[in-house]
Amino acid sequence: MGQRVRFPDRIEPLVQFVEETTPDHIVAKTHEQLVAGTPVKDMLLASALAVVRSSDLPPGHHGGPLHPLCGLHAVRHISTRLPGEYAFMPVIQNVAVANKHIHSPAMGPYVLADAKPISEKDDVEATATAFRTAWSRGVYNACDHYFLYLLEKLSPMQVLELLLEVGVPKNQLDDHYFLFPVFTWRALEYFGWDYTKYIGRAPVRYITRPTNPAMMIDVDNLIKKYELLERDLRVKTGDDETEAITRLADQMGRCNDFTEIPEMLAQALGDGLSLEGAGESLSVGGSTLFLRSLTGNPMDVHINTGANTRRYLLRQPALSRRIKLQALLMWNTGPEVRMAQRMLAPDIQPEPDRVAYLPSRTQDELLAELGALIDRLPVGERLPTAGLASWRSTDEVKQAAALAQQYGNCGYDPEPLITMLAKIACRDNFTEMHAFKHHQATYEEFYSTRPSLRWRHLVSAVQAAAISHGRIQDVYEHAAEVMHF
């Protein structure tokens, strides 16, 4: 009989705290732990280990360890940017969602077994081949064992590349086949690679579940057409690429058929655009498309998070050019990216006329108006009975985006706006970390994009904040009582 995995003695008691505290007490008890001096890093690590050990992955992607792990990168960064006790809010939200999943009958009871590494003849190549065979058949338990062996022999990025061989093609079935392993690796950069043998097993088991390979689209033909593996591709971008990046981003942002985007990227690379420049173009074009989207679904954030994770991969020297290109050219295939195509406004938003007609305001006045507009959106009354995919954004959402565009046009300081948006994200527990992920992605993209284009990201962040605000925020309300906000 298998035994449940046990974690190092220094963290095991805190993991048990996350597992065993009842959901009605987890907010107050987590706050007590943090006030008593438990480091944020330890609390988030315990949350990750607990949700991996004690909650199962349901057939879809809502539940289990997926969203709590995917949110960790955003949560830890947002926590460092928020003042005072507000820095605890993202941490409490992550622990609360992990605890909720652990106690949900849809995801448990469950125990992560103390599995052992298994190899094929103690040979790395043979074991990698066996791993590929197992995932092609959906034999995820075998993949779990092979993964543990490969983790002992390869670098973390080499192992991630092996997972992306699975996750990148499956992106077109569900964005999370790609996002889950990448977000988990970003969290492990923070916690330390020693914890990969526990936390990394969740995305391995998820991405290697059985799927229908007949649905897969191959982008390798584009890579061959433009000889992207044969030519000496430029890696780093520079000021000399501003015009080309602006043109490509605008072309993507005005696109009505997302299937055209991979060839736009491949052709630009073939014409000499750098890999970093292609990633930046995709990011800016993606934010432009997000702003054109009329969706009211607060889960539809993977236009931005998908571009952000791909730019992260492009910066990893240990990953092969092939996997970077495949990931880049498959951004448009995710169902939650494609969903925006059905709800696109006919032209770029916010509309220039709408922004131009706004009255002149100082920075503080504009921030106050933005915050008040989003605060006025009713809490708990914005949950239509129709499916999430059919939700449409209100005019208040588009007005918030217009105000944000005015803020950017005026050249006002981005940091007060970013802090306000981070606090708004901390109210949300309806989207199970999507609001946090989108906020962090747009923050990172703002600061990694050239000044002439970067404001599209913060305007997108405002639009997303207005969409997600007020759906369900009972965790925040409970925490606010405890912390006396």
Side-chain angles (χ1 to χ4, degrees):
M1 286 289 293
Q3 301 295 317
R4 82 169 186 164
V5 67
R6 181 177 174 84
F7 304 122
D9 290 344
R10 79 162 199 89
I11 198 70
E12 176 68 30
L14 197 56
V15 176
Q16 292 180 21
F17 159 77
V18 177
E19 292 171 327
E20 296 170 7
T21 304
T22 57
D24 56 329
H25 290 112
I26 193 63
V27 171
K29 294 294 184 183
T30 300
H31 178 254
E32 286 179 14
Q33 290 270 357
L34 293 167
V35 170
T38 299
V40 163
K41 187 173 184 178
D42 285 355
M43 185 59 73
L44 290 176
L45 175 60
S47 179
L49 294 172
V51 79
V52 166
R53 180 164 75 180
S54 296
S55 73
D56 198 8
L57 287 156
H61 66 251
H62 286 287
L66 194 155
H67 287 128
L69 293 189
C70 285
L72 286 165
H73 172 74
V75 164
R76 69 106 161 182
H77 282 288
I78 294 171
S79 177
T80 64
R81 297 202 306 271
L82 288 175
E85 278 213 323
Y86 229 110
F88 293 155
M89 267 309 313
V91 182
I92 291 170
Q93 286 280 12
N94 188 268
V95 173
V97 73
N99 177 269
K100 180 182 79 169
H101 290 182
I102 289 166
H103 288 267
S104 168
M107 292 154 246
Y110 174 79
V111 170
L112 182 70
D114 187 14
K116 304 301 180 186
I118 291 178
S119 70
E120 293 295 324
K121 303 176 182 178
D122 198 21
D123 181 84
V124 172
E125 285 304 318
T127 305
T129 298
F131 177 87
R132 294 183 181 99
T133 301
W135 72 250
S136 70
R137 297 173 179 172
V139 187
Y140 49 82
N141 281 315
C143 291
D144 202 8
H145 291 286
Y146 291 139
F147 166 76
L148 291 172
Y149 171 81
L150 292 166
L151 207 55
E152 296 176 348
K153 305 295 182 180
L154 302 173
S155 72
M157 282 299 161
Q158 287 175 314
V159 175
L160 178 60
E161 171 131 3
L162 194 59
L163 302 190
L164 292 176
E165 288 181 20
V166 189
V168 169
K170 286 187 175 182
N171 181 83
Q172 58 205 297
L173 307 179
D174 188 321
D175 310 66
H176 297 84
Y177 284 117
F178 169 78
L179 293 172
F180 191 9
V182 179
F183 273 127
T184 301
W185 252 242
R186 299 193 80 176
L188 286 164
E189 286 181 328
Y190 173 53
F191 294 135
W193 298 114
D194 288 347
Y195 291 101
T196 312
K197 62 186 176 183
Y198 310 120
I199 297 171
R201 290 172 63 187
V204 169
R205 295 175 68 84
Y206 176 78
I207 67 173
T208 55
R209 297 187 303 186
T211 52
N212 179 6
M215 298 175 66
M216 301 298 179
I217 301 167
D218 187 3
V219 296
D220 285 338
N221 288 333
L222 273 179
I223 295 173
K224 292 176 184 175
K225 177 179 177 180
Y226 292 98
E227 300 178 336
L228 301 182
L229 292 177
E230 291 76 25
R231 65 176 67 238
D232 186 19
L233 283 186
R234 177 177 172 179
V235 175
K236 298 289 184 181
T237 188
D239 292 342
D240 60 307
E241 290 194 324
T242 297
E243 183 179 347
I245 289 171
T246 302
R247 185 169 57 250
L248 179 57
D250 187 65
Q251 185 183 9
M252 285 189 283
R254 295 182 181 278
C255 177
N256 294 313
D257 181 356
F258 291 4
T259 62
E260 297 172 357
I261 291 175
E263 183 132 17
M264 293 179 193
L265 287 164
Q267 183 173 354
L269 288 166
D271 290 341
L273 187 66
S274 67
L275 278 169
E276 284 188 358
E280 187 174 346
S281 299
L282 175 64
S283 177
V284 176
S287 279
T288 305
L289 289 170
F290 182 81
L291 288 167
R292 283 181 63 197
S293 172
L294 302 175
T295 183
N297 179 1
M299 307 287 192
D300 282 352
V301 300
H302 296 309
I303 280 180
N304 290 107
T305 59
N308 174 251
T309 48
R310 283 161 172 83
R311 289 188 80 186
Y312 164 77
L313 293 182
L314 292 177
R315 295 192 295 269
Q316 304 308 312
L319 292 179
S320 72
R321 186 192 295 184
R322 177 183 292 278
I323 205 71
K324 291 176 181 179
L325 289 169
Q326 289 173 335
L328 188 69
L329 299 180
M330 296 205 60
W331 168 85
N332 69 296
T333 65
E336 294 188 41
V337 173
R338 298 199 310 267
M339 199 173 293
Q341 185 176 298
R342 303 201 301 268
M343 295 188 181
L344 287 178
D347 207 346
I348 301 297
Q349 294 199 346
E351 303 94 328
D353 286 349
R354 183 171 190 157
V355 177
Y357 291 144
L358 291 171
S360 177
R361 295 180 176 91
T362 66
Q363 176 177 302
D364 289 344
E365 290 170 342
L366 195 45
L367 272 178
E369 175 62 20
L370 253 175
L373 187 157
I374 294 174
D375 284 345
R376 287 196 299 271
L377 297 171
V379 174
E381 299 174 11
R382 305 177 65 217
L383 299 173
T385 55
L388 281 172
S390 66
W391 290 10
R392 295 267 177 167
S393 61
T394 62
D395 189 64
E396 290 91 341
V397 167
K398 293 301 183 179
Q399 180 69 6
L403 291 169
Q405 187 65 60
Q406 182 188 36
Y407 190 98
N409 291 350
C410 290
Y412 291 151
D413 184 358
E415 282 300 321
L417 176 60
I418 289 168
T419 299
M420 184 183 78
L421 293 173
K423 288 183 176 181
I424 292 171
C426 285
R427 301 173 191 171
D428 170 77
N429 59 285
F430 175 72
T431 69
E432 296 198 338
M433 300 280 107
H434 280 71
F436 294 84
K437 288 184 293 181
H438 188 273
H439 174 73
Q440 180 62 24
T442 50
Y443 171 86
E444 291 178 9
E445 293 308 293
F446 178 82
Y447 281 111
S448 62
T449 296
R450 59 203 67 220
S452 59
L453 299 172
R454 62 174 46 160
W455 270 95
R456 294 191 202 178
H457 300 310
L458 283 194
V459 178
S460 294
V462 169
Q463 178 164 303
I467 290 170
S468 63
H469 176 264
R471 304 292 180 172
I472 297 175
Q473 54 185 55
D474 53 291
V475 170
Y476 168 77
E477 289 163 356
H478 187 181
E481 290 177 4
V482 171
M483 292 190 271
H484 309 294
F485 284 164

